[in-house]
Amino acid sequence: MTKGTGDAQSTTVGTALGAPFVVNVVDQYSNPVAGVEVTYTVKDGSGNFGGQSSVKVTTDASGNATSSTVLTVGTKAGTNTVEATSTGLSGSPQTFSATGTAGAANKIEVVSDKSQISCSTASTANLTASIQDQYGNLVEGATNAITYALDATTYGTLTTTTPINPTGGKATNVLTSVVHATGGTIVITASATGLTAGTATVKTVPFSLNKNKVTLFVGQTFGFVVTGGSTGTAWTQTTAATGSLSATTGTTSTYTAKKVGTDKVTVSDTV
């Protein structure tokens, strides 16, 4: 069994290819063999044959087994793989691939690299707005200018609120917190003409520790938690012989008392 036509096609996600897959079956003398059953099965990419993951066909007088239904590629951009198999035949399986490409620009997704930032000092979160098709695939060639906006500026500001021309289907911005006693929730909206807008939420919170003074017996532990911290939050101590910290970076660290004495733990962050 050898591969015929139909390999390496491309179409928009969620749509059918332009031609079926074909394999050819011959005997030992290269004569076409009719009536041989061949199964085409989707192996990767979530495509389908008329809603089915596989389709069975038989070879015609020319030895060709043509997929009776053309493959509809999956809704995720990328490669769809189909195998053609026939029990007992040399050359089985044969692998076909098809590429699903992103559809028309439809909506915007906006994400923040942080879900919360400190309001004890001006802190930042990086924002990325991506133009996507209806299935959530990035439309790299989209040119719709993206405008960022906040629901209010009480707790934060944006680096720019003027329209941004996307690069590779994406436009970035930076959210900076406003110094505030209690902080609050910020809703960021990214919009563009003709597209469904996307939103993201970031909270601003005071930088604080769950407890400022702890008394422990030797062997006891206490879990410290920083509010308003980040993965870059640093933990240091003055007397390592008195106790140990389970982590020196991040928003949590467990202190274990090792001997009688006093220790001072300092938590800091660059924001």
Side-chain angles (χ1 to χ4, degrees):
M1 185 172 76
T2 57
K3 185 187 298 184
T5 59
D7 193 23
Q9 297 182 69
S10 179
T11 189
T12 303
V13 291
T15 64
L17 296 176
F21 300 131
V22 181
V23 294
N24 183 255
V25 177
V26 297
D27 64 17
Q28 60 181 320
Y29 303 110
S30 298
N31 298 303
V33 180
V36 177
E37 185 176 88
V38 175
T39 302
Y40 289 95
T41 303
V42 175
K43 305 299 291 186
D44 188 35
S46 70
N48 67 87
F49 294 100
Q52 303 298 314
S53 61
S54 65
V55 61
K56 291 184 178 182
V57 296
T58 55
T59 56
D60 59 20
S62 299
N64 292 324
T66 303
S67 56
S68 55
T69 304
V70 175
L71 178 77
T72 295
V73 300
T75 56
K76 181 180 179 180
T79 302
N80 290 245
T81 303
V82 172
E83 279 189 353
T85 58
S86 186
T87 304
L89 290 188
S90 173
S92 175
Q94 290 290 326
T95 301
F96 292 81
S97 64
T99 302
T101 58
N106 177 269
K107 60 185 179 180
I108 296 175
E109 178 187 63
V110 58
V111 297
S112 169
D113 66 341
K114 299 172 185 174
S115 60
Q116 68 176 29
I117 54 178
S118 173
C119 63
S120 295
T121 185
S123 308
T124 60
N126 297 309
L127 308 173
T128 303
S130 302
I131 298 176
Q132 302 177 340
D133 66 12
Q134 61 177 318
Y135 300 113
N137 298 297
L138 177 66
V139 184
E140 295 185 14
T143 58
N144 310 66
I146 296 174
T147 301
Y148 281 88
L150 304 181
D151 60 334
T153 56
T154 303
Y155 306 117
T157 60
L158 293 166
T159 295
T160 181
T161 56
T162 59
I164 304 169
N165 292 319
T167 300
K170 299 181 179 182
T172 60
N173 210 333
V174 177
L175 171 70
T176 302
S177 64
V178 171
V179 176
H180 194 276
T182 60
T185 300
I186 303 171
V187 178
I188 306 105
T189 300
S191 60
T193 301
L195 305 182
T196 300
T199 61
T201 301
V202 175
K203 292 183 178 181
T204 67
V205 294
F207 187 83
S208 61
L209 203 57
N210 59 332
K211 201 161 187 178
N212 293 323
K213 186 175 182 179
V214 180
T215 300
L216 301 173
F217 291 105
V218 174
Q220 283 187 315
T221 62
F222 181 80
F224 287 106
V225 179
V226 171
T227 300
S230 69
T231 55
T233 299
W235 302 71
T236 58
Q237 59 186 125
T238 57
T239 314
T242 302
S244 61
L245 291 167
S246 63
T248 56
T249 58
T251 57
T252 62
S253 187
T254 299
Y255 187 91
T256 302
K258 296 192 296 185
K259 63 180 293 185
V260 176
T262 301
D263 196 1
K264 180 181 179 181
V265 175
T266 300
V267 186
S268 60
D269 203 345
T270 300
V271 293

